[in-house]
Amino acid sequence: LGAGAVLFRRRGQIDVLHVHGADWHAGFAGWIGHCLSIPVVCKGANVPVFPPLAGLPFARRLEAWRRRVRYIALTPAMRDDLTAHGVPGGSIDIIPNGVEIPDAGPGISSEPVVLHVANYTQPAWNKAFDVLFGAWPRVIRECPEARLVSAGAGDVSAWKRQLAEAGCAGLVDFIGYRPDLEAWFRRAAVFVLPSRHEGISNALLEAQGFGLPAVVSDIPGNRAVVVDGETGLVVPAGDAEALARALVQLLSNPELRRRLGAAARRRTAAEFGIEAVARKLSAVLGRLAAEAKS
């Protein structure tokens, strides 16, 4: 109600409503945008794009309205998921996330540090913490000097217990939320992201932009960023053994890390540089505003 009142009062000042994620608020935005003649664009956050609305007030109306807005899909797989759920293909633009590409650094670190960035307040199954910490004891058996550094806000006590039970207490550094990870990107040798569900991870893009080879799970958002064998290694989602093998492969082979990392930096600059992505987004928003005025 409060949002509706604010939007009504400021309707003459608003060219486009932008929604992040296609939850119930995308349906609300679609409805209020229609009432106020303001175009609405929603940026998908994950695949599948539509979280369930069962049990929410006005669920059926919100469900219908969130299918009537324009969408920005991060990947072709996200576009396909949207069309499979009733969004017209002509209402979808594909624009990935973008990141700043840092100045060239000293190159891939020789330290056997694996960097992991996640939000521990989000669903653990989606982020596959169980897979990562299940894989780490296997990595340590092959690479005893390796260190896993995991950055992210939230309670990690359960994962510390799992690691302790596996005999790996103290072999993972949980460093909490860090607003600036540049020093860690430059210190690490490998980046890891084993998620079961992900849109396009900005942390993954940043790591590749710094020239870090990545080991990622085989899900659409990760495949859009990492080319298997070219900029990193892709392993089956949920497979701790495969994840461990890929990490050991990179930790044991400095030349492979260097080659994949250099290719990762080049590809990220070409495909995901913030300037190019911002131009694409600006064009979509400008087109929507112009169509509304006409």
Side-chain angles (χ1 to χ4, degrees):
L1 290 175
V6 170
L7 292 171
F8 178 79
R9 288 197 301 270
R10 300 186 60 186
R11 61 193 183 279
Q13 302 170 278
I14 300 171
D15 295 306
V16 180
L17 287 178
H18 184 280
V19 184
H20 183 78
D23 212 324
W24 66 268
H25 52 283
F28 166 75
W31 171 75
I32 197 75
H34 172 76
C35 293
L36 302 178
S37 299
I38 301 172
V40 178
V41 62
C42 178
K43 179 180 178 180
N46 288 295
V47 178
V49 179
F50 292 126
L53 301 181
L56 291 177
F58 310 109
R60 292 180 62 186
R61 292 186 180 182
L62 293 171
E63 189 74 55
W65 276 110
R66 70 178 176 176
R67 283 169 168 75
R68 298 179 189 177
V69 305
R70 307 244 356 156
Y71 274 90
I72 292 172
L74 300 176
T75 64
M78 187 175 286
R79 175 203 57 202
D80 295 344
D81 184 69
L82 285 164
T83 56
H85 287 86
V87 178
S91 297
I92 305 169
D93 291 278
I94 300 177
I95 305 176
N97 288 342
V99 292
E100 297 278 358
I101 305 301
D103 294 335
I108 299 297
S109 172
S110 60
E111 293 186 66
V113 173
V114 177
L115 180 62
H116 170 246
V117 179
N119 184 345
Y120 286 93
T121 67
Q122 293 183 349
W125 193 88
N126 288 357
K127 297 301 181 182
F129 302 133
D130 58 317
V131 178
L132 176 61
F133 301 126
W136 195 245
R138 298 173 170 91
V139 175
I140 292 298
R141 285 198 292 270
E142 299 293 329
C143 301
E145 302 302 315
R147 299 287 296 187
L148 175 61
V149 175
S150 183
D155 182 7
V156 298
S157 57
W159 309 114
K160 287 184 176 180
R161 287 195 298 272
Q162 177 178 327
L163 289 163
E165 290 168 2
C168 290
L171 298 180
V172 176
D173 296 326
F174 293 96
I175 62 174
Y177 170 71
R178 298 295 177 96
D180 184 359
L181 286 167
E182 178 173 351
W184 286 106
F185 284 128
R186 294 195 184 279
R187 180 180 171 185
V190 180
F191 185 83
V192 63
L193 189 72
S195 305
R196 292 184 176 95
H197 286 297
E198 197 78 56
I200 286 184
S201 164
N202 277 2
L204 174 59
L205 288 176
E206 290 169 352
Q208 297 258 282
F210 274 96
L212 270 181
V215 177
V216 301
S217 51
D218 189 5
I219 59 175
N222 290 346
R223 286 198 308 271
V225 178
V226 177
V227 180
D228 188 32
E230 181 180 322
T231 69
L233 301 177
V234 179
V235 301
D239 190 334
E241 186 65 43
L243 184 69
R245 286 197 303 270
L247 288 169
V248 169
Q249 182 181 354
L250 285 180
L251 288 170
S252 304
N253 192 330
E255 176 54 30
L256 179 62
R257 296 201 305 269
R258 186 206 62 76
R259 177 170 60 82
L260 298 184
R265 181 176 166 84
R266 289 193 300 270
R267 184 171 188 271
T268 304
E271 301 288 334
F272 304 102
I274 192 66
E275 293 84 1
V277 171
R279 283 195 297 271
K280 293 177 183 178
L281 180 57
S282 179
V284 169
L285 298 177
R287 185 176 74 242
L288 290 177
E291 289 173 356
K293 290 177 181 177
S294 65

